[in-house]
Amino acid sequence: MQLPEPPKIAAVEVVPAQPTEADRAAIVHMGLKEPRAVYVVKVRLKAKPPVTSIAWALYVGDERISKYWEYKDGIYFVVFDAQFFAMHKGEQLRFSQNDTDFFDTGMELAPSSSVGEGNAIRLPLQADVLKRSKSLARRRTNRASARKRMSKR
Amino acid sequence: MTFAEETGELRSPGLPGIEGFDTLIYGSPPLAYPAVLSQYMIYNTPDPDYVTGRINVSAFANLGAATPWPFTNTDVPINGHICIPRGRGPFPLAVFAHGNHNPFENSTLGYLYLCQLLASHGIIAATIDVNFLNGANFGENDARAIVHLEHLKQFRSWNNTAVHPLHGKVDLNRILIVGHSRGGEAVGHASFFNRLAAIGPVVLDGSAGLGPYRFGLSAAAAIAPTDRQFVPATGPTVVPDSYFIIHGSKDSDVYTFEGYHTYERAHAVDLANPTVSDGKFKAMLWVHKANHNQFNSVWAPETPPGLAMPRPSQEQIARVHLGALALAVLLDRREYFAVLRDHSVATAWDPAGTELVSQYQNPQRIFIQHNQEGLAPPVVSLPVQGTVTADGVAAARQLTALVGGAPTTTITLRLAWNGAGTQLLLQVDPATLPAEHYKAIALRVGQSNEIANTANRDQDFTLEVSSGSRTAAFRASSLHRLLFPDPPPFGPAKIVMQTLRLPVARLVQCGVDPSDLRSIALLFDRRETGVVYTGDLQFTD
């Protein structure tokens, strides 16, 4: 038997969307300003990994994404604060199963501008964002390197 | 103590009891599952007395958007199967939860074989539907814990409802929660959440639908669990209730034995108050040749044919050891703690030839050496006073991840020797060690797969205990086998320490006075070379 291989990322897309009620409560609890938008980061995978209990934790640089979820073409997570993208500018998405061995994906987060007050009401629901086609995702991809690298922290 | 003395008239806890029971489905209709989720349609027609409500887990989890669930995360169902003993009760309660698996296959039924066993012994046993959290998701194990606790709340509600068939039948002070895989990680979180008034912005007082909990949890049991996929804001979860873990050496899903870290964090020594115990026990069973999926009777094995033990054997081990736990903690059959203290008590009940490694820590204990003071050379741990001398043996404390995988925070002592007759000698001041108040010396020790150890050969040494002029010597192998690590399916081999328990009564029989105990030595005289790791040395009950 072989060690599991990390997922391969085809594209990353960042889409502003309306916060859910649960998002609003969490954001207020975190002491952030009442949100106008949250950002759905869709990570399209070349192939989904088998469903197992052990998991590939997803990192942006050294920050572990605490929760992510499955959608049709891959996985996604939700960012509450646009500052996240500035903080992690140029950092790679990485996978790890043990917080020790890291697999660089060769992909970075696409930059995202914050959403102003005026256009917030036109933002899509997160559920609708997840149903969108993948063509847009290709345009928003930022490929740092085609070659996957493994690193140790 | 001999096997017969230890077990007395004990009967295998894996055998069915004498109680008749009924099996029912509970659920939250209407649930319009689409055809691809037809396995869940059974929850749309629950027993009429067992119709449940919905809960909102949106603060903790999204549902995988790739599975067409007929509900959202704001109204997930409380679905499950219950085996209810016939009779007046009240009966203790055991609730099982599955882990992550293909969400198009209903994982819930995979623990009915254990529910039926427990019900036949007079325990209400349920297995719950958490499938809506399954898929390529990550970090959702807090939600699994909340769902588990909400099922317990459902049982409390039925118990408190005058017209319900379960009215007055559930003993809410005797509850065992059991989880497999990510559900195994989640029972640790559930044990932690059970005592909280809020989790972040989510109040658990019932005002927003979740909680209150504060159940009387007798123990949390984890089958091949993950660890730290969800991490609370306060840091990795430390299980506050008594804790049991079982894991297989051929696990090819959670191949890193993550639950070892959960076990080490639970009921660890408090360096500021090393003699203070939280009153809880913990026990571990490491099963050579068991894989991950065969603990669930409906999951196909994840290992290729021939690598793992047969499914009936693995289910039998689950019956015997989880059965012993349940009988001990839920039915006050305290004699079954013997199985937790020493797995060899169950040898006649386990499949022939099964190789197991076990650990047990009793709440009543005093550490002679726990090694958590730091990475400096080993010492006798306070408040016991004494000295440690390594005579010809290389003794080094290490932050070694004995099971591979994630970094560890628990220090172990590595002992390496090259030439028979070397020893690690602990000399203690008898005035600081009330050994006579305890029933056994317990030493956690295990061999590695390093070259100094002969492959597939048990390691051995002599344990010498002295008081005044009397010394008693015991071969480690007379207390337990120290197995060579079973080769893993992939990744590094796991070094799993065995708890060796030497009864104080045997010392007394040999003329050693426990009230005047002067030294304990590990004398490496049985093998020319070797490497072992020790966790802690304690006097205990």
Side-chain angles (χ1 to χ4, degrees), chain B residues 218-350:
Chain B
S218 301
I223 305 168
T226 56
D227 181 52
R228 287 181 281 191
Q229 289 188 4
F230 166 74
V231 180
T234 50
T237 291
V238 177
V239 181
D241 293 295
S242 290
Y243 185 64
F244 176 83
I245 178 175
I246 180 171
H247 202 114
S249 69
K250 297 301 187 194
D251 193 317
S252 302
D253 182 331
V254 187
Y255 63 92
T256 48
F257 192 10
E258 294 292 298
Y260 179 83
H261 303 294
T262 320
Y263 181 87
E264 289 286 39
R265 291 195 302 273
H267 317 302
V269 62
D270 176 354
L271 289 174
N273 301 287
T275 59
V276 173
S277 166
D278 60 9
K280 309 295 182 185
F281 73 86
K282 60 178 177 179
M284 174 194 291
L285 188 69
W286 173 249
V287 186
H288 280 200
K289 311 297 183 210
N291 69 10
H292 188 81
N293 283 4
Q294 289 181 159
F295 287 117
N296 179 308
S297 67
V298 301
W299 289 357
E302 85 283 9
T303 45
L307 183 70
M309 65 172 62
R311 181 186 290 277
S313 297
Q314 195 162 326
E315 291 183 1
Q316 176 65 6
I317 290 166
R319 281 190 187 92
V320 168
H321 294 272
L322 287 166
L325 173 72
L327 296 184
V329 303
L330 296 181
L331 295 177
D332 267 348
R333 300 287 303 276
R334 300 193 63 79
E335 61 273 25
Y336 282 102
F337 271 110
V339 179
L340 306 182
R341 283 195 295 269
D342 182 349
H343 67 261
S344 69
V345 170
T347 298
W349 310 326
D350 285 324

Side-chain angles (χ1 to χ4, degrees), chain A:
Chain A
M1 298 186 75
Q2 300 290 316
L3 277 167
E5 294 231 332
K8 293 181 172 61
I9 297 177
V12 182
E13 179 187 15
V14 181
V15 186
Q18 293 181 33
T20 65
E21 282 306 308
D23 292 340
R24 288 181 191 280
I27 290 166
V28 169
H29 183 75
M30 291 160 66
L32 299 173
K33 265 174 53 181
E34 179 74 17
R36 292 183 290 274
V38 294
Y39 302 87
V40 178
V41 181
K42 298 168 72 175
V43 179
R44 185 156 62 85
L45 301 176
K46 290 178 179 170
K48 287 188 193 174
V51 178
T52 57
S53 262
I54 201 157
W56 289 103
L58 175 64
Y59 289 75
V60 182
D62 286 338
E63 181 168 346
R64 187 167 95 158
I65 302 302
S66 59
K67 292 171 183 279
Y68 66 71
W69 315 102
E70 181 179 7
Y71 78 107
K72 186 165 68 74
D73 297 319
I75 57 177
Y76 73 95
F77 60 95
V78 179
V79 172
F80 291 157
D81 186 350
Q83 278 295 106
F84 178 88
F85 301 101
M87 281 169 50
H88 293 289
K89 186 178 178 185
E91 294 179 352
Q92 291 226 6
L93 273 68
R94 309 193 296 164
F95 284 111
S96 177
Q97 284 193 325
N98 58 15
D99 298 340
T100 301
D101 301 314
F102 288 85
F103 295 84
D104 292 345
T105 65
M107 306 295 282
E108 296 174 5
L109 280 186
S112 179
S113 55
S114 59
V115 174
E117 193 77 55
N119 57 1
I121 56 169
R122 292 192 295 275
L123 291 172
L125 297 171
Q126 292 177 35
D128 293 333
V129 167
L130 297 171
K131 290 175 190 160
R132 273 192 196 167
S133 72
K134 45 183 107 160
S135 57
L136 178 62
R138 285 200 194 93
R139 293 202 300 272
R140 305 289 294 263
T141 296
N142 187 353
R143 178 177 292 276
S145 164
R147 207 161 30 162
K148 182 183 76 183
R149 295 188 302 276
M150 182 178 158
S151 60
K152 294 240 184 195
R153 187 163 68 173

Side-chain angles (χ1 to χ4, degrees), chain B residues 190-211:
Chain B
S191 167
F192 174 55
F193 293 167
N194 182 47
R195 299 161 185 238
L196 301 183
I199 303 169
V202 184
V203 292
L204 299 176
D205 61 2
S207 61
L210 300 179

